[in-house]
Amino acid sequence: MSLIVLQPSADYAARVRRHVPDALLLATPERAPLLADHPRVVAADLDDLQASPRALTEYVDVQALRCEGLTCFICEYLPLTAALAQRLGLPFHSPAAISLSRDKGRAALAWMAAGVSTPPTRLVHGEAELLDFARQHPGPWVIKPTDRSGSEWVLKIEEPDQLPSAHRRLNEGLEGAPYLAQRFVQGREFSADLFVERGEARLLRLTEKYLLPQEGLAGLVGAYFPARVATSLRENLLDTYTAGALALGVERGIVMVDSILEGGAPYLLEMALRPGGDCLPDLCFRATGYDPIRAACQVALGRTPDFPDLADPAPLAALHLLADQSGLIRAIDFSVLEAHPAVVQVEPYHLPGEELRCWEGSYDDRILAACLVRCEGEAQLPALIDELRGLISVELDPDPIPAIR
């Protein structure tokens, strides 16, 4: 019995194979050479719905394999994963649920129709529609793409006279595509993984975010840390998350959710039909024993995932250490950071020869490293982030492609 994994990174491929040694990795011709250390790699054009199943079928027949599940950890490849699952008769989220979750505007409408709390939202095609939305819903406001991950092009506007310039920046960044306007909801921000089955859900992960304050931008995550909340709040969050997942048509599988608690009420911001990634797997495994990669493999193969005890997590946090200027990295040294007594591990995100970009398009482009640290509470995070960022030595050459300002 084997498991198919679409377009894994080399790191995730290794993690998958710790739990499913005979996993079959389906990757683009560009990604496949990076997986050369793994025994079962199939290269195919993942943009071609005929080529992918054909390549898989040929490989499986030659190797006499029996594949009983498939999974994917990358949002952009979830639609293909759902289509392949249907084609191959394997369990996965339905194409309709994937499509709905990938469109933030349609997802918000589905939640509102189901009575699930989410910020007032409107699909905007031009400046006039943005200004009309702002007249109906008092600011601040957030404008963002309909279909991108994380905080790509997520702009925060404080005053009405800032709306036209924000519209122009986002319109340029998205090359004229429609975008979403939302009322800005402020409060504690949570991120979670849950397992949905037969109309019910259980939490696998509940983490809180420390957001970096930066004028004009929203959602810049400075750190994740395990949430310590009362049982009543945990149940309230789970009830809202479950209703949100069911409104998207989720029948069985892992769902990642972002939400904000305002005035005691959880507001759904986004759902993705995969477990949380980034620096979360290492944080969760060390803090609660939850392994998102293992859980995804278990679910793909028809099993029930292991549920961790979320009541007493270890005092840890995962930090994003960000660059403050753009450029090409000539040299970068993490050794002083790694020696700091609070640091558990460092995961470099950018290395020599790679470009750092400080812009609205994606804050991932400015992350120097993710850093797992010992941390007793959120109050320590601002000073700790500043201190540890200063321990990374970076030499930059000028940015050859100026970022959009």
Side-chain angles (χ1 to χ4, degrees):
M1 179 175 65
S2 189
L3 171 70
I4 303 167
V5 185
L6 267 72
Q7 193 71 344
S9 64
D11 174 51
Y12 267 53
R15 294 179 187 226
V16 165
R17 290 191 58 243
R18 290 176 201 154
H19 309 298
V20 187
D22 64 347
L24 193 163
L25 312 178
L26 177 65
T28 61
E30 296 77 19
R31 173 67 60 87
L34 304 178
L35 305 174
D37 292 341
H38 303 285
R40 291 179 173 168
V41 180
V42 177
D45 181 357
L46 299 189
D47 293 325
D48 185 338
L49 278 179
Q50 303 302 319
S52 300
R54 184 168 58 247
L56 272 175
T57 301
E58 291 174 357
Y59 186 91
V60 167
D61 288 347
V62 170
Q63 299 293 322
L65 296 178
R66 182 166 61 94
C67 294
E68 295 196 357
L70 82 171
T71 194
C72 178
F73 301 95
I74 301 176
C75 283
E76 289 74 13
Y77 288 96
L78 291 176
L80 173 61
T81 308
L84 284 176
Q86 272 200 338
R87 186 101 171 237
L88 300 173
L90 296 174
F92 194 67
H93 295 291
S94 70
I98 292 287
S99 175
L100 189 51
S101 69
R102 292 284 292 150
D103 187 321
K104 297 176 185 178
R106 291 175 59 216
L109 290 174
W111 292 330
M112 289 188 283
V116 184
S117 57
T118 191
T121 303
R122 179 171 176 175
L123 183 65
V124 171
H125 295 84
E127 183 179 328
E129 292 186 358
L130 175 61
L131 298 178
D132 181 63
F133 177 84
R135 283 190 290 269
Q136 296 179 45
H137 301 282
W141 308 272
V142 169
I143 57 176
K144 61 185 182 181
T146 62
D147 61 352
R148 303 196 187 190
S149 304
S151 295
E152 297 180 29
W153 283 112
V154 179
L155 307 184
K156 179 185 176 187
I157 304 99
E158 299 281 355
E159 302 295 338
D161 61 1
Q162 298 171 342
L163 289 166
S165 62
H167 165 77
R168 287 191 293 272
R169 293 208 313 277
L170 190 56
N171 189 60
E172 182 179 0
L174 301 182
E175 298 179 338
Y179 60 84
L180 297 181
Q182 286 187 327
R183 179 176 72 82
F184 178 69
V185 178
Q186 188 165 10
R188 296 171 69 184
E189 187 159 344
F190 294 94
S191 177
D193 289 351
L194 55 150
F195 173 62
V196 179
E197 187 175 38
R198 299 188 186 95
E200 298 182 352
R202 288 182 63 183
L203 284 172
L204 293 161
R205 167 180 68 90
L206 185 63
T207 49
E208 198 163 346
K209 298 179 183 181
Y210 167 70
L211 298 179
L212 296 171
Q214 182 159 341
E215 184 178 356
L217 297 179
L220 270 68
V221 181
Y224 295 96
F225 56 97
R228 295 179 178 272
V229 300
T231 301
S232 58
L233 175 54
R234 186 183 298 117
E235 291 174 350
N236 187 15
L237 291 169
L238 180 57
D239 287 345
T240 301
Y241 299 163
T242 304
L246 296 180
L248 298 185
V250 175
E251 297 179 353
R252 182 183 186 275
I254 294 177
V255 175
M256 186 281 295
V257 56
D258 284 331
S259 66
I260 288 182
L261 190 69
E262 182 183 72
Y267 286 78
L268 294 185
L269 298 181
E270 181 177 353
M271 281 188 169
L273 305 195
R274 57 158 179 80
D278 191 14
C279 50
L280 288 167
D282 289 330
L283 170 65
C284 293
F285 183 71
R286 289 178 178 266
T288 67
Y290 167 55
D291 183 341
I293 291 89
R294 175 179 169 81
C297 293
Q298 291 172 318
V299 171
L301 293 172
R303 304 167 190 161
T304 300
D306 300 324
F307 293 99
D309 181 2
L310 302 178
D312 189 28
L316 298 169
L319 314 185
H320 283 151
L321 303 180
L322 307 184
D324 57 9
Q325 57 182 316
S326 300
L328 288 176
I329 300 176
R330 186 188 317 124
I332 188 166
D333 185 358
F334 299 100
S335 59
V336 178
L337 172 65
E338 291 169 333
H340 190 283
V343 171
V344 177
Q345 71 179 45
V346 174
E347 181 184 359
Y349 274 37
H350 284 90
L351 295 172
E354 297 178 352
E355 182 185 3
L356 293 170
R357 297 188 73 185
C358 298
W359 67 317
E360 298 105 321
S362 173
Y363 83 93
D364 288 354
D365 291 345
R366 71 179 77 173
I367 301 176
L368 294 167
C371 182
L372 191 63
V373 300
R374 301 174 189 89
C375 179
E376 293 294 337
E378 183 180 2
Q380 296 181 348
L381 290 173
L384 194 56
I385 289 171
D386 286 344
E387 178 187 1
L388 297 183
R389 164 60 188 87
L391 300 182
I392 302 175
S393 174
V394 186
E395 297 178 19
L396 295 178
D397 289 324
D399 190 347
I401 306 174
I404 298 173
R405 302 299 183 206

